[in-house]
Amino acid sequence: MGKLITSRRLRWVTAGLAVVLTASAGTIVWQLSQRSETLLLADTDRDGLISEADRSGRAQWSTERGAIVVPNLDDDGGNCGTFTDEEGQRRGDDALAACGDAFDQQVNGDADLLDLAPLRIEPIADVGTDAWATVTVDEASIDSARLFIRSTEGEYSPLAPGEHISADRLRGGVDLALEATDIARDSEVWNGFIDVSLQVHDGQTVTMDRVRVRVAPLLLSHDLNPIDRMMIADNATTPEDAERHDYDPTTADPVYPGEDAFRDELSQGLAEAGLDGPTYYPTGGDRWMRDQFITGMAAMPGPDGTVHTMTVLLRSAVVDPEGSTEEFPLRDAGRPVYSMLRGPDVAAVQTYSPDRVGDDDYNMLWGSFNSTGNFIVAPPYATDDGSWPVGRVLYGSDGGDAAPDPAFVTLLEAQRDQDPLPIDTSWLGVGHIDEFLSFIPADNDRGWAAVVADPDLGEELLAKLVAAGRGIIRSCPGSPRAT
């Protein structure tokens, strides 16, 4: 998977060490167990199963071994289809984002269970009658992880911090599931690793074990990834209209001259490529589709050797430069990633700096740098300076005001694997990196080539047209901006 951080394994089996607690009834001595057997397992070998092969290195994490879980931000439960409150008012941006499987504290069927990492307490046949155990996550992960315990009837329920698991359950072994309720957003706050610890209390003996699980990073798509579906702007329907009424994404009325011809030719091209017709996305006239969100994915081992993938849509961090409020801070045309696209195995994520809300002058001048059109991904490559096997994020920034929201960049940096690299785009009027850079397949060692727009070559081309007597021909006929 790319450049990942490993951690030194902690020594949980400590010989000859006693923990002394002073209580009102006297002094109690808890002896840490010297037992060396494995008690807690995760899918450390990444084959989608819990087995003997998972014993080695379970408390560590590396590019080769270590359990993985996707962030459970999709909506398998179908609980996020209401976009207005009881009084008929639109739900705010943050309220819209705070819905999904990670927010309901339950396992929403078999599909949702696939989004959780399986864990297992191995049978402990010789525990005493009064023995009990707890399973907890590390303090840094408390707000981003949740544990479930499987009952003897096969149902999963939340396992509260400190909740006791009885001796009877321990003797037969216990199935658990770990849910990641978010992605890593800031490595200085939380690095995306979850340490799950087991403590078994049996008389005056405490036996401990631990596994480490990484939340799958959000990996942004690059130009060489296969197309699943093509989305184009529905300029006739506002996001609010789509939220309040049943929206049909298979049809849309044209608004601008030339839209009909464009759609017909696009549909023909998609059909020739073996793809379905375009899916319409309600923009209400904010037609810059590439600026509303950027697609990505998170993945973990699935059953039977499969890879379980969750599509993740990262919403633009553009704060509306005209009338942004605390409840509705962001560009409205980004909302359909939640109201229309979020669903089973499709998650949506947003982040922004609240202090930019209401600063209309700043957002008018520099807010465009937050558009997702200002973020692209170079396909996989390697140089003497390093390798990026899942691609590398590139974004436009001059390191000053002409730069994206720091919270957005920090989130991308926290994924670790695509190592975001800024490129100065302040020489552009809008400032988006996708205005002059893209990538295509090529027959070379890398398998791709960069296509870079050259203003000088463009000017030369226009000059040649004028010299050939074609200067009076309108460019882009039918467009309201034809010149």
Side-chain angles (χ1 to χ4, degrees):
M1 287 183 59
K3 188 173 63 177
L4 304 171
I5 289 182
T6 60
S7 66
R8 185 177 57 188
R9 184 177 180 182
L10 300 182
R11 298 180 61 198
W12 288 90
V13 180
T14 308
L17 177 64
V19 179
V20 181
L21 304 177
T22 301
S24 57
T27 301
I28 304 172
V29 178
W30 297 88
Q31 184 73 34
L32 292 185
S33 172
Q34 298 182 41
R35 296 167 61 161
S36 59
E37 68 266 32
T38 300
L39 300 180
L40 182 64
L41 289 175
D43 183 21
T44 301
D45 70 346
R46 304 175 188 166
D47 66 352
L49 303 170
I50 301 292
S51 68
E52 293 288 324
D54 295 309
R55 293 177 179 273
S56 174
R58 62 192 181 279
Q60 300 172 321
W61 208 97
S62 70
T63 56
E64 291 78 26
R65 288 182 66 84
I68 304 169
V69 62
V70 295
N72 197 19
L73 298 173
D74 65 340
D75 184 23
D76 290 311
N79 299 317
C80 302
T82 302
F83 313 115
T84 57
D85 61 21
E86 295 78 6
E87 299 177 354
Q89 300 299 310
R90 295 178 85 197
R91 297 188 184 278
D93 287 348
D94 290 342
L96 203 63
C99 186
D101 296 340
F103 298 91
D104 60 11
Q105 301 189 38
Q106 64 184 24
V107 178
N108 296 291
D110 292 341
D112 194 29
L113 189 60
L114 291 175
D115 298 335
L116 278 55
L119 307 173
R120 179 164 176 79
I121 302 174
E122 292 284 79
I124 310 174
D126 58 349
V127 294
T129 303
D130 296 325
W132 52 274
T134 60
V135 183
T136 57
V137 301
D138 63 287
E139 184 175 355
S141 302
I142 286 176
D143 294 333
S144 304
R146 182 181 295 119
L147 288 163
F148 291 90
I149 184 169
R150 187 174 185 266
S151 70
T152 53
E153 291 77 30
E155 300 295 323
Y156 283 87
S157 61
L159 181 66
E163 181 177 340
H164 288 194
I165 302 172
S166 69
D168 285 343
R169 293 297 312 275
L170 293 173
R171 292 191 188 98
V174 183
D175 290 321
L176 306 167
L178 173 68
E179 178 180 45
T181 59
D182 204 357
I183 62 173
R185 294 174 181 262
D186 185 340
S187 294
E188 293 187 5
V189 176
W190 180 56
N191 62 9
F193 289 94
I194 304 170
D195 290 325
V196 183
S197 298
L198 168 71
Q199 287 192 7
V200 180
H201 296 253
D202 190 359
Q204 292 183 320
T205 300
V206 180
T207 307
M208 304 181 189
D209 202 359
R210 191 194 75 176
V211 296
R212 169 161 280 199
V213 183
R214 185 188 178 189
V215 178
L218 164 57
L219 302 177
L220 299 185
S221 303
H222 56 75
D223 291 344
L224 272 61
N225 288 132
I227 296 175
D228 177 57
R229 54 178 159 166
M230 177 72 73
M231 307 201 71
I232 63 174
D234 171 4
N235 296 302
T237 307
T238 68
E240 182 171 1
D241 288 339
E243 291 171 18
R244 292 186 179 279
H245 307 97
D246 290 335
Y247 181 69
D248 181 2
T250 65
T251 183
D253 294 328
V255 173
Y256 300 108
E259 274 195 275
D260 271 336
F262 167 75
R263 292 173 178 180
D264 288 344
E265 292 178 6
L266 177 61
S267 296
Q268 180 180 345
L270 291 172
E272 291 174 356
L275 298 170
D276 293 333
T279 298
Y280 291 98
Y281 179 101
T283 66
D286 186 0
R287 59 189 180 275
W288 310 108
M289 282 296 304
R290 183 67 173 76
D291 293 338
Q292 312 302 346
F293 66 93
I294 190 168
T295 60
M297 54 83 76
M300 64 182 285
D304 302 321
T306 61
V307 176
H308 176 56
T309 301
M310 181 176 293
T311 298
V312 183
L313 310 176
L314 182 56
R315 183 183 181 182
S316 161
V318 171
V319 172
D320 193 339
E322 298 179 355
S324 62
T325 65
E326 183 176 340
E327 190 174 11
F328 297 95
L330 299 177
R331 187 176 191 164
D332 209 49
R335 285 173 63 96
V337 298
Y338 293 105
S339 61
M340 174 183 154
L341 300 178
R342 176 176 53 190
D345 291 335
V346 179
V349 172
Q350 69 183 31
T351 190
Y352 62 94
S353 296
D355 59 2
R356 296 193 171 195
V357 178
D359 190 349
D360 290 351
D361 289 341
Y362 179 89
N363 293 318
M364 182 64 73
L365 287 171
W366 309 110
S368 180
F369 283 85
N370 295 307
S371 296
T372 44
N374 194 30
F375 293 82
I376 61 173
V377 179
Y381 72 100
T383 69
D384 292 340
D385 296 325
S387 64
W388 294 269
V390 290
R392 189 174 192 183
V393 172
L394 310 175
Y395 67 95
S397 171
D398 72 349
D401 286 334
D405 189 326
F408 195 90
V409 175
T410 297
L411 182 149
L412 295 177
E413 291 173 339
Q415 309 315 305
R416 300 174 182 265
D417 291 75
Q418 291 184 310
D419 192 20
L421 178 69
I423 295 175
D424 188 0
T425 58
S426 60
W427 54 277
L428 290 165
V430 174
H432 295 179
I433 195 170
D434 72 346
E435 294 181 292
F436 70 91
L437 181 61
S438 61
F439 302 93
I440 60 172
D443 185 14
N444 58 27
D445 291 341
R446 281 185 175 173
W448 56 265
V451 178
V452 182
D454 188 318
D456 291 334
L457 290 177
E459 187 175 8
E460 278 184 33
L461 178 62
L462 293 175
K464 289 179 180 179
L465 291 174
V466 172
R470 305 181 69 182
I472 61 171
I473 299 177
R474 292 170 64 87
S475 66
C476 304
S479 167
R481 299 193 178 193
T483 56

